[in-house]
Amino acid sequence: MTVVLNHTIVRAADQDAAALFFAELLDLRVGERTGPFTPVRVNDDLTLDFDERHAVVAGHFGFLVDDTTFDGLIARLEQWPHVPYGSGPENGWDRSINHLGGGRGVYVGDPNGHSYEFFTTVPPA
């Protein structure tokens, strides 16, 4: 049996603003509210459902992306001086990328304290 993560809830102080922030990072579209959630469809298998009904608990979300998506993400981040990003937790928000596993990676801080990680190659285990 194949297991696929279909959706997850991302807690936010303002779910619409948080969904828009994430969608703009990856050049995605914010969907229409579905029940209490503001969805962002990441791909055919995964949707992030932003929710403001409960206290925010900062989380970490890691995404394997292709080179074109990574290039677009970095280009947008370079235009957004107010958005913290960096090469890894040990380096803080140094506004650079890492090269773990022979690919490229970056961590992005969102206004709710979440950490989004984007990488082009999965580092060896």
Side-chain angles (χ1 to χ4, degrees):
M1 173 183 202
T2 300
V3 177
V4 175
L5 180 63
N6 176 264
H7 67 278
T8 192
I9 294 171
V10 181
R11 294 181 177 177
D14 178 333
Q15 69 192 54
D16 295 327
L20 182 60
F21 175 83
F22 180 79
E24 287 182 345
L25 277 176
L26 293 176
D27 196 26
L28 300 172
R29 187 179 70 76
V30 176
E32 293 294 321
R33 275 205 183 190
T34 304
F37 306 113
T38 302
V40 176
R41 188 154 193 77
V42 177
N43 57 41
D44 290 341
D45 295 320
L46 177 62
T47 300
L48 297 187
D49 291 322
F50 291 84
D51 182 4
E52 64 192 18
R53 295 173 299 157
H54 304 286
V56 175
V57 176
H60 175 80
F61 303 87
F63 299 92
L64 177 63
V65 298
D66 61 34
D67 286 314
T68 301
T69 300
F70 192 88
D71 291 342
L73 168 69
I74 295 301
R76 284 184 286 284
L77 288 170
E78 289 173 348
Q79 299 301 312
W80 299 343
H82 63 284
V83 175
Y85 72 91
S87 58
E90 65 280 355
N91 299 319
W93 304 114
D94 60 1
R95 297 190 74 79
S96 26
I97 65 172
N98 66 56
H99 297 280
L100 300 175
R104 298 179 293 159
V106 69
Y107 293 78
V108 180
D110 97 322
N112 291 285
H114 300 300
S115 171
Y116 295 118
E117 180 183 5
F118 303 96
F119 46 92
T120 60
T121 304
V122 177

